Amino acid sequence: MGELWYGGTIYTMRVENETVEAVYVQDGKIVDIGTKERLCGTYYIDTYHHIRGNTMFPGFVDSHLHLIGHGERLLRLDLTACTSYAEMLALVEERVKETPEGEWIIGEGWDENRFVDTKTIHKKDVDAISSKHFIVLKRVCRHAILVNSNVLRQAEITPATDKKGGVIARDEHGLTGVLHDNAQQLVYNILPKNSQQYVRHALQIAIQDCYENGLVGGHTEDLHYYDGFENTYEAYRHCMKKTPFKAHLLVHYAEMAHLHNHSEEHYIEFGAIKMFVDGSLGGRTALLSKPYSDMPNTQGIAVLEREEVAMLVKQARQINRTVAVHAIGDLAFQYVVEAIEAYPPPYGMRDRIIHCQVLRSDLIQRAKHLSVVLDIQPIFVSSDFPSAIEKLGSERLRYSYSWKTLLQEGLECAGGSDAPISDVSPIASIHAAVSRLDAEGRCYQPEECLSSFEAISLYTKGSAKAIHKEKVRGIIGFGYEADFTIVDSDIVTMPPNDIANAKITMTVIDGMIVYNKLL
């Protein structure tokens, strides 16, 4: 007894343009593919799924997101759509009016690069809104926050305070209220603790939104940020019993010791050891080998120094783990390459380097000799340009955001969104990869545009390879898990610029329909 999926275009993603007429599924696994006539004549079928002319792919998986953080963005004051500083401040003022004095207000997603009125962000402006609330506003990259003076006082941050691996911004008058990278921890240490109920709620909301965006799973890094490993892990255990989602949990290096006390459970996998080498390009804390073009007095910051990166990679090897390392700038990428060269991953396994936005030719050549997957976020092209040109200068663009070059050089790549930093929608990321358009419709580095097949592969085969699951996930084929993403349009053959308008109509996990717009 099994189920037959048919009635539309079904891409296997094994090779480019390969389609099948029907897929036979039993107990959550793909048993056979081929013509409807043959499958109906071979197997006993008790359930028929007609996809009504839609297009079916292997289930999309986001290779890099922060799942609970995505849920928080959906719950909190959302600043991502603000195109001016004044608009952002107005939203904060509205939230202040409805929030009792003495409570915390947390906003998500401001981006000064989108502001048409000013690029100068300062605590005096939020102080003017309220001196009786605690206000924390997270930049879109989550590598910087703006806080009011109440928060600075509560955290005991003064002009004399310093924090290794972070920046406490100052001007001629003193603190600006902007904290970068590790300096943010001074504030996070005093935030009210998250209840288990809150973490579960954020996680459930995030998973439901992922369903609606066609995601069957995601590689997420949350275990360090919600009152530690245990509290966050328990939230996942609770939610996975009710909301199936293939959650692959990266483990922050500070939480390595907890791994030996826990085993994987249904829909919960433990992955690589996660670390951050640098910050963000938007905040000019990505670590570059040469100074920023628009701020020659800085090359960014090392959240971890070269020796620390090597030490942590070595520690991961001692517990037989791979690593997943955040590296946006070329010097950060170099630190990671050097560490992996010194301490290669266990035989048959792959490390991953996350973001890889600013590279050099010599680093690409070195990376080709490593057992590594590059975990890229194509949607960053649409959000970072033209600001990236101002920060990097034209001479560094050749190997920046160079997704096509990476694939042509034979490097394995996976695709993620970095949600809540960017839109979680894989359709939006696929569109960005094939069109490389910014919000104004301008195309950047068209020679780096991916084909639709290459872009979709990032979210299917690429995500599977990143976690050594390429023999059971990422393809519609014999023995693979029955994870499907069904779209109302054929995004393989349609004009690249039209992909953004495609809609998810069904999401299927292990043969279970978790989202359905075809009804």
Side-chain angles (χ1 to χ4, degrees):
M1 296 173 63
E3 304 177 353
L4 190 75
W5 294 81
Y6 70 103
T9 304
I10 301 174
Y11 286 97
T12 68
M13 295 304 294
R14 292 190 299 190
V15 294
E16 191 165 3
N17 296 325
E18 181 181 69
T19 62
V20 294
E21 187 177 326
V23 179
Y24 177 71
V25 172
Q26 194 172 50
D27 298 326
K29 294 286 188 352
I30 299 171
V31 175
D32 205 348
I33 60 176
T35 66
K36 179 187 176 186
E37 181 180 8
R38 184 181 69 80
L39 296 180
C40 288
T42 305
Y43 303 99
Y44 178 78
I45 299 167
D46 60 1
T47 305
Y48 291 82
H49 299 284
H50 194 300
I51 63 173
R52 303 183 188 178
N54 283 231
T55 304
M56 189 164 89
F57 298 95
F60 293 162
V61 173
D62 192 314
S63 67
H64 181 67
L65 79 164
H66 306 272
L67 196 56
I68 298 174
H70 178 54
E72 287 186 296
R73 173 179 163 181
L74 297 172
L75 288 170
R76 289 176 171 170
L77 175 61
D78 189 356
L79 307 173
T80 55
C82 294
T83 56
S84 72
Y85 191 37
E87 181 184 2
M88 182 185 92
L89 295 173
L91 289 176
V92 175
E93 187 170 11
E94 287 179 19
R95 184 58 61 94
V96 163
K97 290 176 181 177
E98 60 191 41
T99 304
E101 291 181 0
E103 292 196 6
W104 289 76
I105 295 172
I106 300 176
E108 299 271 356
W110 59 268
D111 183 358
E112 81 284 1
N113 293 316
R114 300 188 68 212
F115 294 167
V116 295
D117 48 359
T118 183
K119 308 296 181 189
T120 303
I121 312 300
H122 201 284
K123 67 180 175 64
K124 63 181 175 59
D125 301 307
V126 284
D127 285 347
I129 295 172
S130 176
S131 61
K132 298 181 179 179
H133 295 81
F134 297 94
I135 301 175
V136 179
L137 307 176
K138 299 183 181 184
R139 192 181 185 278
V140 63
C141 61
R142 284 199 164 190
H143 286 268
I145 54 176
L146 170 66
V147 302
N148 66 349
S149 294
N150 259 7
V151 173
L152 293 175
R153 283 191 292 269
Q154 186 80 359
E156 299 181 350
I157 299 171
T158 72
T161 305
D162 196 12
K163 179 67 174 176
K164 182 180 180 297
V167 175
I168 300 173
R170 300 168 174 85
D171 61 15
E172 64 272 19
H173 303 295
L175 299 176
T176 69
V178 178
L179 309 175
H180 295 269
D181 292 290
N182 280 356
Q184 298 175 107
Q185 196 59 45
L186 299 171
V187 170
Y188 294 154
N189 288 340
I190 65 166
L191 282 174
K193 289 188 178 297
N194 298 301
S195 69
Q196 178 70 196
Q197 181 180 4
Y198 169 83
V199 178
R200 290 177 180 179
H201 184 44
L203 185 53
Q204 287 169 339
I205 285 177
I207 292 172
Q208 186 60 48
D209 192 61
C210 285
Y211 290 165
E212 294 175 14
N213 281 284
L215 289 166
V216 303
H219 310 165
T220 178
E221 199 246 315
D222 301 306
L223 292 170
H224 183 60
Y225 307 106
Y226 300 93
D227 302 324
F229 190 106
E230 296 293 341
N231 191 56
T232 314
Y233 178 68
E234 284 305 313
Y236 269 95
R237 290 188 67 204
H238 175 83
C239 291
M240 292 304 111
K241 294 174 182 177
K242 300 179 179 181
T243 49
F245 188 76
K246 297 192 173 177
H248 185 87
L249 307 183
L250 302 183
V251 181
H252 190 284
Y253 67 87
E255 306 293 346
M256 272 194 275
H258 291 278
L259 275 172
H260 73 279
N261 294 324
H262 298 84
S263 58
E264 295 184 350
E265 298 191 15
H266 196 43
Y267 295 123
I268 301 177
E269 304 163 354
F270 290 124
I273 304 304
K274 173 72 182 294
M275 60 192 80
F276 295 81
V277 178
D278 63 350
S280 72
L281 194 65
R284 296 181 186 82
T285 54
L287 186 62
L288 306 179
S289 56
K290 295 179 181 179
Y292 282 80
S293 296
D294 62 347
M295 193 176 287
N297 63 338
T298 184
Q299 293 176 227
I301 63 171
V303 175
L304 294 170
E305 299 292 348
R306 176 185 267 113
E307 297 76 14
E308 292 175 306
V309 178
M311 177 191 70
L312 288 169
V313 173
K314 182 179 180 181
Q315 289 177 4
R317 304 309 188 216
Q318 290 170 348
I319 59 171
N320 203 41
R321 287 279 167 177
T322 57
V323 295
V325 191
H326 167 115
I328 289 179
D330 62 323
L331 188 54
F333 191 92
Q334 181 178 326
Y335 286 4
V336 182
V337 168
E338 290 170 352
I340 295 174
E341 287 174 339
Y343 304 104
Y347 178 76
M349 301 179 74
R350 305 180 189 93
D351 293 318
R352 76 168 94 182
I353 308 177
I354 302 169
H355 302 315
C356 317
Q357 285 160 244
V358 185
L359 299 180
R360 307 190 308 261
S361 178
D362 63 300
L363 294 176
I364 292 173
Q365 296 308 311
R366 289 172 71 176
K368 286 168 61 174
H369 299 287
L370 304 178
S371 181
V372 68
V373 171
L374 302 188
D375 195 339
I376 63 174
Q377 290 67 51
I379 200 166
F380 284 178
V381 173
S382 63
S383 61
D384 289 7
F385 283 83
S387 175
I389 301 174
E390 299 169 4
K391 294 177 174 64
L392 299 173
S394 58
E395 69 280 0
R396 276 184 281 204
L397 288 183
R398 172 64 186 88
Y399 295 106
S400 297
Y401 302 79
S402 52
W403 320 137
K404 188 77 168 185
T405 295
L406 298 179
L407 292 178
Q408 289 175 335
E409 290 288 349
L411 285 155
E412 300 282 2
C413 293
S417 65
D418 205 10
I421 297 354
S422 294
D423 188 344
V424 77
S425 165
I427 295 295
S429 283
I430 291 165
H431 174 251
V434 301
S435 70
R436 297 183 69 93
L437 298 177
D438 71 0
E440 304 299 324
R442 294 167 295 202
C443 179
Y444 295 92
Q445 301 160 288
E447 68 279 5
E448 294 292 341
C449 290
L450 301 188
S451 70
S452 297
F453 177 77
E454 290 170 331
I456 297 165
S457 293
L458 297 175
Y459 271 86
T460 52
K461 293 188 292 187
S463 291
K465 286 182 179 177
I467 59 172
H468 320 104
K469 296 281 188 179
E470 65 269 25
K471 293 184 179 180
V472 292
R473 297 179 188 168
I475 285 173
I476 293 177
F478 308 105
Y480 280 72
E481 295 169 9
D483 300 333
F484 309 131
T485 299
I486 300 175
V487 187
D488 69 350
S489 311
D490 188 341
I491 59 174
V492 173
T493 59
M494 69 193 306
N497 290 356
D498 294 342
I499 291 175
N501 298 320
K503 305 296 182 186
I504 301 297
T505 52
M506 189 179 286
T507 306
V508 181
I509 299 176
D510 289 337
M512 297 179 290
I513 299 172
V514 296
Y515 175 73
N516 190 356
K517 293 288 285 186
L518 287 178
L519 291 177

